[in-house]
Amino acid sequence: MKKKIATANKVFMLKVVIHLAAFLPLFNLYTLAFNDLLGADPVQRVIHFTGIGAFNLLLLTLTVSPLAKKFKQGYLLPVRRLLGLYAFSYAFMHILNFLAFDLQFAWSLFFNEIVKRPYITVGMIAFVLLAALAITSVNRLKRKMGKSWQSLHNFSYLITVLVAIHFYWSVKSELISPLFYFILTLILLAFRYKKIKALLFSIVKKK
């Protein structure tokens, strides 16, 4: 019983830290934006911050399982959903910022951009998949979906690759940062080499 209480306390404290670390920077960003304190190009600052924040949170989500397994810290696993939901929240704000500040809610232009610009196309595919994961993270839906829930959430690997590609293609200069993120993505996916290989084999076998 004491061990369960101690584990529950660790999970609770870790979730508090995640809430503070994820929410406060976002709150500070918009506080600075509304007070016109983001420099010469506040729109791009806001769009980039939320985009890279979503990517960081996705990578953190992928980091949890290897860390928990390596150091035998099972209490880390319950925070994956919270990290994933914050990743979705940042991604949603990233798109909303682009739509509101860059395009002034011109929906026809927005859909044209999705079709005409490959990096936006890739980014939107990643966002739609991430939205599906966020919606189905509710326990009730998870129970109803059964085994298909895990099949859907395996798309988290594809989402991370798509986001890495989106980031790389969106940068017109200074490729060091997107290359670093791309390599980090590959490293994290390498920890799941056997699982990804099995998933790919099962897909090919079905066809």
Side-chain angles (χ1 to χ4, degrees), residues 22-39 42 45-46 49-50 90 93 97 101:
F23 176 75
L24 290 180
L26 203 59
F27 178 78
N28 182 62
L29 174 73
Y30 287 106
T31 300
L32 294 174
F34 286 122
N35 287 284
D36 197 21
L37 296 172
L38 287 180
R45 282 279 300 276
V46 170
F49 185 92
T50 49
Y90 268 72
M93 296 307 297
N97 294 327
F101 302 128

Side-chain angles (χ1 to χ4, degrees), residues 7-19:
T7 300
N9 288 336
K10 286 181 181 179
V11 173
F12 175 77
M13 291 304 298
L14 188 54
K15 286 184 176 181
V16 169
V17 170
I18 292 170
H19 279 299

Side-chain angles (χ1 to χ4, degrees), residues 105-125:
F105 288 108
W107 289 96
S108 59
L109 181 58
F110 177 64
F111 289 115
N112 284 336
E113 291 285 283
I114 293 173
V115 173
K116 291 181 180 179
R117 297 180 185 271
Y119 81 92
I120 296 180
T121 306
V122 169
M124 281 305 299
I125 293 171

